Amino acid sequence: MRAFEERIAKASDAGHVPGLVHLASGAELVELAIIHQLTGPIDQVSGSHRSHGLAIACGVDPLALAREILGRAGGLSNGLGGTQHLLAPEDGFLTSNGIVGGQVPLAAGAALSAKTLKTGGIAVAFMGDGAVNQGAVFETINLAVSLQLPLLFVVENNGLGQSTGASYATAGSLIGRTRSFGIAAEQVDGSDMPLLLRTADRLIGWVRKTCSPAFIEAKVPRISGHYHGDGQGYRGAEKVKDPLDSFREILIKTGSEEEELKELELGARLRAEDVVGKAERSKDKSDTALKAWQQGGGF
């Protein structure tokens, strides 16, 4: 996930990505821990405008994903959706959304469908802390409780809504707000993989068993800017520890070899280079896809 996004950032620097690129660096462990407990396509996941890594965690084909981000033929939507609007429900990735909080009511729809059709599936909505201030999110939490929907809300809280600090823009605590609806809710450290796995297992199990919603607030750092290339003049000089470094330390303490981890990292970077390189060499649809649709010629 990290290697893929770093290579996408490089493609963006070269002018190959239409629009801004929003990286999820720092939130990977949270997404992996939760997706690890799911079974797509029975379970469906929705994400925000920074969902490249989330799609990979769901098992979406990285080449089709890269082509979509770059606006190329062979992408998930043949290059029309771009970096913020990714679709692969066949892999359990319902959608990502460019509207802040817009993915949350969509996940409620998937949860209602699973309940009505008795599929045994659940829905999971990933969002940032800034999205929790959106009215649509409050309305969805209320609906999830009222209708008893199998829906897990996951907030990746990095303390920033674009360039606005949560410390002066968000009143109270997110956990406190959510618990007022009567939802099972927990706050976790997004760099503690063992804790994340235990929490995900417990709350996802709760959602499945009770067919009722739950809420996880994961504290994560935002390693990159709001978008790739963001000057981040609104941030101080504080240093944040990369959760992947914390995970590496845990793996070494529990018996993994440093050289083995280096080989895995190199392999991931080589795969990302191969996949995104192929996408860059694919036919560009970013300027022609919408025109073709308007002319009735299809994609």
Side-chain angles (χ1 to χ4, degrees), residues 58 66 79 92:
C58 286

Side-chain angles (χ1 to χ4, degrees), residues 121-179:
I122 73 169
V124 182
F126 285 83
M127 72 194 90
D129 53 286
V132 188
N133 291 326
Q134 289 280 47
V137 174
F138 284 110
E139 293 172 21
T140 303
I141 294 174
N142 181 67
L143 274 175
V145 175
S146 300
L147 300 179
Q148 288 294 280
L149 299 181
L151 174 55
L152 176 65
F153 300 92
V154 181
V155 175
E156 297 169 345
N157 188 348
N158 58 31
L160 286 165
Q162 190 165 336
S163 58
T164 303
S167 59
Y168 61 87
T170 298
S173 72
L174 303 187
I175 284 288
R177 288 185 192 179
T178 308
R179 286 176 175 160

Side-chain angles (χ1 to χ4, degrees), residues 23 48 75 90 94 113 119 144 179-180 191 195 230 235 257:
L23 307 179
S48 69
E90 66 279 4
L94 179 66
S113 176
T119 66
R179 286 176 175 160
S180 70
S191 65
L195 175 61
D230 176 7
R235 301 182 76 172
E257 297 291 335

Side-chain angles (χ1 to χ4, degrees), residues 8 38 49 54 105 112 122 136 152 154 235 240 250 270 285:
I8 288 292
L38 303 180
H49 52 286
L54 188 58
L112 178 59
I122 73 169
L152 176 65
V154 181
R235 301 182 76 172
V240 296
I250 291 173
L270 289 174
K285 300 281 286 187

